[in-house]
Amino acid sequence: MQKEKKFGILKKEEDDEFYMKLAIQEAKKALKNNDVPIGAIIVNNGEIVSSGYNKVEKKGDSTAHAEMIAIKRAIKSIGYKHLNNCSLYVTLEPCPMCAGAIVLSRLKRLIYGASDPKSGACDSLYSITNDKRLNHRCIIKKGVLEEECSKLLSDFFRELRKIK
């Protein structure tokens, strides 16, 4: 089923699910460090240019979010501060910090799995990535593999409550 035409190639709905599954694999890596399981993949013209997973606990750094790590790696990989033709796949709706980084790095598309009613800054609480007052906005698609992404997070927090 053809959905939209982007980057000169036909983009299929299934492609978003493929890349989100890879983001979910990244998210699972965070579990080894007792970090919240959030994963991100950045794709440029069908090629994966970077990935990242949450490392807040591992690094003791509140800015070590999956999106921030993936964005920094993509900039290094591409060799330019703007990611104009890139898509970011992330398992959870980005927070205000990450949404700001998405705008500043000028990502073309944001595709996320689960919404975040407590700190989501792309639709739930704020709409930073589509704020007309800012110099960049991106195409947003939400709810891709939402159940899988939500389950990963809810299972993590359920286990965390058992430990405490």
Side-chain angles (χ1 to χ4, degrees), residues 7 28 35 37 53 61 64 69 132 148 158:
F7 315 122
K28 290 177 180 177
D35 268 300
Y53 59 91
D61 178 355
I69 292 166
K132 289 180 173 48
E148 288 179 54
R158 186 179 307 103

Side-chain angles (χ1 to χ4, degrees), residues 16 20 87-90 109-113 139 141 144:
D16 288 339
M20 187 60 73
S87 297
L88 169 64
Y89 294 82
V90 63
R109 293 179 72 223
L110 165 65
I111 302 90
Y112 66 88
I139 299 163
K141 182 176 180 180
V144 175

